[in-house]
Amino acid sequence: MKRPIDAIAIVGPTASGKTAAALALAQQLNTQGGAEIISVDSALVYRGMDIGTAKPSREELAAVPHHLIDTIDPLQSYSAAEFAKDATRLIGEIRGRGRTPLLVGGTMLYLKSLLEGLNDIPAADPQVREAIQARAEQVGWAALHAELMQVDPVTAARLAPGDSQRVGRALEVWTATGQTLSSFHQSAKAAAPSWRIPVLSLEPVNRTWLHERIAQRFELMMAQGFLDEVRQLRARGDLNPDLPAMRCVGYRQAWQGLDEGWSEAEICERGIFATRQLAKRQITWLRSMDSRHVIAADAPEALAQLLVTAQRLFLA
């Protein structure tokens, strides 16, 4: 007999319907002890970033207990390793209350860190980071990406040359430790916990369907006052566009647009494009997960299919 599942993960690209699916599943699980939601989203952790992250409404947050939402200030950073530690603790606490943890979100690196184990990557070294940033300003990130390809080809192969945050972090780890980032990830995978967490993945068959939903949602966020939210964050005076919080999709384009005098229409257009690119990367991540249970997000019966699949896994 199989041991009970530890949690159920509901993942998918942005705007694929994860929040609605999680709330519906939580309601269905009320007859089986109930459920609590653990957010798997690198943007929802930040306080004061509500509109641009499409944060669940007060009513949605009140309907089911939520975790890892509004936990840190935008000035702070939050890593995948921290998420894995927090999620591991929360899974134990939620199961201890007789409820089912639902891992819900689209930050695949967070889910990967939880499922494949933690690593001992050292914390960021400000001096090393500043030195790498200074070199990038001199020779460009493409040159640093080429350098990373020489020392850590495994990590470099999965990063775009313009992904300054991750290229910089990988070089920082190599400089500080003499070990590659990929070697830390491999050691973590070897020591991964033996979770039983089925992954339900909402993936559209028709990419146009997702593109339209992304555009509609971004236009709605603009109408709800997204730019005013970004202006308030800028007015604090202690935030800058290089912080992880301000590099979140949408916020990055809005900050740059306000700096450079773009029209609201141009900010919206660029934000939609960046969000679609994010969705493309998320789908690529998902397709690398062979054990996931795929639900056609754009099918009329998507929600019903997800609930039936989850119930079958829950009772297996």
Side-chain angles (χ1 to χ4, degrees), residues 129-141:
R129 177 165 294 182
E130 288 175 11
I132 292 171
Q133 181 66 38
R135 289 181 53 223
E137 292 172 0
Q138 292 178 339
V139 301
W141 283 106

Side-chain angles (χ1 to χ4, degrees), residues 235-313:
R236 286 179 36 160
D238 59 345
L239 302 178
N240 66 74
D242 292 324
L243 289 168
M246 294 302 100
R247 291 177 63 85
C248 290
V249 69
Y251 288 88
R252 183 176 185 177
Q253 290 72 35
W255 190 294
Q256 184 180 357
L258 292 172
D259 271 349
E260 300 182 11
W262 298 349
S263 67
E264 289 194 15
E266 184 173 4
I267 292 174
C268 186
E269 180 181 349
R270 295 200 185 203
I272 290 171
F273 177 79
T275 308
R276 287 173 175 170
Q277 292 299 107
L278 169 63
K280 182 179 179 180
R281 294 192 298 272
Q282 290 171 316
I283 291 171
T284 299
W285 267 93
L286 290 167
R287 287 176 175 169
S288 70
M289 300 175 66
D290 296 332
S291 61
R292 74 196 191 285
H293 302 267
V294 179
I295 310 294
D298 49 345
E301 68 279 5
L303 184 56
Q305 184 183 350
L306 182 139
L307 294 177
V308 169
T309 303
Q311 187 67 9
R312 174 168 48 81
L313 293 167

Side-chain angles (χ1 to χ4, degrees), residues 88-301:
T88 297
R89 171 181 54 81
L90 287 165
I91 288 171
E93 292 173 356
I94 294 167
R95 284 177 53 78
R97 290 191 282 270
R99 296 176 177 172
T100 302
L102 301 181
L103 295 154
V104 183
T107 302
M108 304 311 165
L109 185 61
Y110 280 13
L111 185 62
K112 178 182 174 70
S113 181
L114 175 67
L115 297 180
E116 297 188 0
L118 296 169
N119 52 54
D120 296 320
I121 300 174
D125 184 323
Q127 291 184 331
V128 174
R129 177 165 294 182
E130 288 175 11
I132 292 171
Q133 181 66 38
R135 289 181 53 223
E137 292 172 0
Q138 292 178 339
V139 301
W141 283 106
L144 292 191
H145 182 268
E147 180 181 317
L148 179 64
M149 185 65 76
Q150 295 297 316
V151 298
D152 187 359
V154 173
T155 298
R158 65 178 178 81
L159 299 180
D163 192 345
S164 58
Q165 184 176 357
R166 292 183 174 84
V167 170
R169 177 59 175 153
L171 285 172
E172 180 186 325
V173 169
W174 169 256
T175 303
T177 69
Q179 299 180 58
T180 63
L181 187 61
S182 57
S183 70
F184 280 105
H185 288 162
Q186 285 299 320
S187 63
K189 192 170 185 178
S194 179
W195 291 116
R196 187 171 175 233
I197 301 179
V199 177
L200 306 184
S201 182
L202 287 162
E203 301 174 30
V205 175
N206 184 350
R207 194 72 63 90
T208 300
W209 174 88
L210 185 64
H211 285 182
E212 290 176 351
R213 282 174 62 93
I214 287 171
Q216 291 168 1
R217 190 169 76 174
F218 206 95
E219 289 164 0
L220 176 60
M221 291 191 303
M222 293 289 284
Q224 291 173 332
F226 174 48
L227 289 185
D228 287 336
E229 181 175 82
V230 177
R231 289 187 183 100
Q232 291 175 4
L233 291 166
R234 286 161 60 92
R236 286 179 36 160
D238 59 345
L239 302 178
N240 66 74
D242 292 324
L243 289 168
M246 294 302 100
R247 291 177 63 85
C248 290
V249 69
Y251 288 88
R252 183 176 185 177
Q253 290 72 35
W255 190 294
Q256 184 180 357
L258 292 172
D259 271 349
E260 300 182 11
W262 298 349
S263 67
E264 289 194 15
E266 184 173 4
I267 292 174
C268 186
E269 180 181 349
R270 295 200 185 203
I272 290 171
F273 177 79
T275 308
R276 287 173 175 170
Q277 292 299 107
L278 169 63
K280 182 179 179 180
R281 294 192 298 272
Q282 290 171 316
I283 291 171
T284 299
W285 267 93
L286 290 167
R287 287 176 175 169
S288 70
M289 300 175 66
D290 296 332
S291 61
R292 74 196 191 285
H293 302 267
V294 179
I295 310 294
D298 49 345
E301 68 279 5

Side-chain angles (χ1 to χ4, degrees), residues 30-64:
N30 279 341
T31 60
Q32 294 160 311
E36 298 185 29
I37 293 173
I38 301 172
S39 171
V40 188
D41 191 298
S42 61
L44 295 187
V45 294
Y46 296 111
R47 295 187 291 269
M49 294 172 58
D50 303 331
I51 299 173
T53 61
K55 195 168 287 181
S57 66
R58 290 182 180 179
E59 293 75 17
E60 290 170 332
L61 291 172
V64 181

